[in-house]
């Protein structure tokens, strides 16, 4: 059987790397520069820059580390996709919660996901699939979603023993908008120690970023509205 004419056409795509970690951007730039399907490489360091790039390039592939951008939740990302329906999205993070992954991946076939600690081969496959408008879900996330069928409810119960006293204290500082470096300095602890606490807090709460953690802190009474808006 002869291949159709369209099957032999190379589809060129624009890519927006939405990530504010320099080393990640450099690595992704290098990988994409080797791909024949890439027509243009762009960067976005925050949500505002991402939206501006999408206005200029509405059919681009967006490689997004959701955890580093100030999205208020999965719903906001879904709305952004609805606004730019022709774009394709490859979520590229260190860790994403099961409820978030389920909500995003079930919302549209335009979303794929690969993790930053996946192999180079799996990341390259994800990029190639995205350029062809094919969804890619890495093995790690597939396994997470399968195991999540028996997981607890989407949002953990608000109970006092979910976090340790030290984690509650650090969560309060995070909710007040302080950076990991600032918290480490104030508490006379290393950056690595505070960053480890931060990751543990996010994992326990099943959240992905500071905005989602702040919502929990308010619901749990760890911080109140008066403190938040001072």
């Amino acid at each position: 059987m002869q291949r159709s004419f369209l099957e032999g056409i190379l589809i060129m795509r624009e890519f927006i790397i939405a990530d504010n970690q320099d080393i990640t951007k450099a690595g992704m730039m290098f990988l994409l520069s080797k791909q024949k399907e890439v027509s243009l490489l762009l960067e976005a360091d925050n949500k505002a820059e991402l939206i501006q790039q999408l206005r200029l390039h509405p059919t681009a592939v967006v490689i997004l580390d959701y955890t580093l951008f100030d999205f208020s939740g999965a719903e906001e990302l879904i709305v952004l996709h609805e606004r730019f329906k022709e774009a394709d999205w490859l979520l590229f993070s260190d860790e994403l919660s099961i409820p978030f992954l389920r909500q995003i991946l079930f919302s549209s076939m335009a979303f794929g996901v690969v993790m930053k600690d996946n192999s180079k081969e799996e990341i390259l496959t994800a990029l190639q699939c995205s350029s062809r408008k094919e969804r890619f879900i890495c093995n790690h996330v597939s396994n997470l979603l399968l195991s999540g069928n028996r997981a607890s409810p989407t949002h953990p119960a608000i109970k006092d023993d979910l976090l340790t006293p030290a984690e509650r204290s650090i969560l309060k500082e995070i909710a007040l908008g302080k950076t990991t470096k600032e918290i480490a300095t104030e508490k006379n602890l290393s950056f690595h120690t505070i960053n480890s606490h931060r990751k543990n807090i996010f994992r326990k709460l099943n959240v992905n970023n500071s905005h989602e953690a702040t919502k929990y802190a308010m619901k749990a009474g760890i911080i109140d509205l008066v403190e938040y808006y001072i």
Side-chain angles (χ1 to χ4, degrees):
M1 181 182 295
Q2 282 189 327
R3 295 176 62 196
S4 69
F5 175 73
L6 289 177
E7 283 183 287
I9 295 178
L10 184 66
I11 300 174
M12 303 297 289
R13 301 294 303 271
E14 301 161 327
F15 280 77
I16 302 171
I17 303 174
D19 195 308
N20 56 30
Q21 293 179 332
D22 290 339
I23 190 66
T24 301
K25 286 192 295 185
M28 190 56 71
M29 283 282 189
F30 175 78
L31 291 178
L32 286 169
S33 68
K34 305 296 183 182
Q35 304 301 305
K36 295 178 180 179
E37 301 90 348
V38 179
S39 64
L40 185 63
L41 288 175
L42 305 155
E43 297 181 35
D45 287 339
N46 53 57
K47 188 169 63 178
E49 289 183 10
L50 172 58
I51 293 171
Q52 180 60 28
Q53 292 285 23
L54 281 169
R55 287 189 182 125
L56 298 172
H57 310 279
T59 62
V61 177
V62 180
I63 302 171
L64 171 67
D65 188 335
Y66 171 85
T67 65
L68 299 178
F69 280 32
D70 59 341
F71 287 101
S72 59
E75 294 82 3
E76 187 180 2
L77 180 54
I78 292 170
V79 168
L80 186 59
H81 163 60
E82 287 298 314
R83 182 176 170 187
F84 299 100
K85 289 180 178 292
E86 297 303 311
D88 291 287
W89 303 76
L90 182 62
L91 303 177
F92 186 54
S93 299
D94 288 313
E95 188 173 358
L96 293 166
S97 68
I98 293 176
F100 170 82
L101 287 167
R102 283 179 141 188
Q103 188 171 356
I104 289 295
L105 295 176
F106 293 166
S107 72
S108 171
M109 290 294 291
F111 288 103
V113 60
V114 65
M115 309 308 290
K116 288 186 175 180
D117 61 356
N118 284 156
S119 67
K120 177 183 175 182
E121 290 71 23
E122 199 164 13
I123 293 172
L124 282 172
T125 301
L127 295 175
Q128 290 162 0
C129 288
S130 297
S131 68
R132 298 192 297 263
K133 299 188 77 69
E134 297 173 0
R135 165 132 78 174
F136 179 88
I137 299 176
C138 68
N139 289 329
H140 175 70
V141 169
S142 296
N143 292 334
L144 275 180
L145 293 174
L146 288 173
S147 65
N149 288 333
R150 301 181 298 275
S152 56
T154 300
H155 297 288
I158 305 298
K159 52 185 181 180
D160 292 337
D161 60 352
L162 194 59
L163 301 177
T164 67
E167 288 169 343
R168 287 173 65 89
S169 174
I170 291 170
L171 174 57
K172 181 174 182 177
E173 301 302 318
I174 292 171
L176 290 172
K178 295 180 182 178
T179 66
T180 301
K181 185 177 180 180
E182 288 171 337
I183 299 170
T185 300
E186 290 180 9
K187 292 185 175 295
N188 197 28
L189 295 170
S190 71
F191 178 92
H192 175 74
T193 297
I194 299 299
N195 197 43
S196 295
H197 278 304
R198 181 188 180 96
K199 288 182 178 180
N200 288 336
I201 291 167
F202 285 13
R203 185 178 64 253
K204 287 182 178 181
L205 301 185
N206 247 338
V207 300
N208 301 288
N209 56 34
S210 298
H211 280 254
E212 294 175 3
T214 298
K215 288 182 181 179
Y216 177 93
M218 289 181 174
K219 289 178 182 177
I222 295 171
I223 184 175
D224 58 38
L225 288 174
V226 175
E227 288 180 293
Y228 184 68
Y229 286 107
I230 286 177

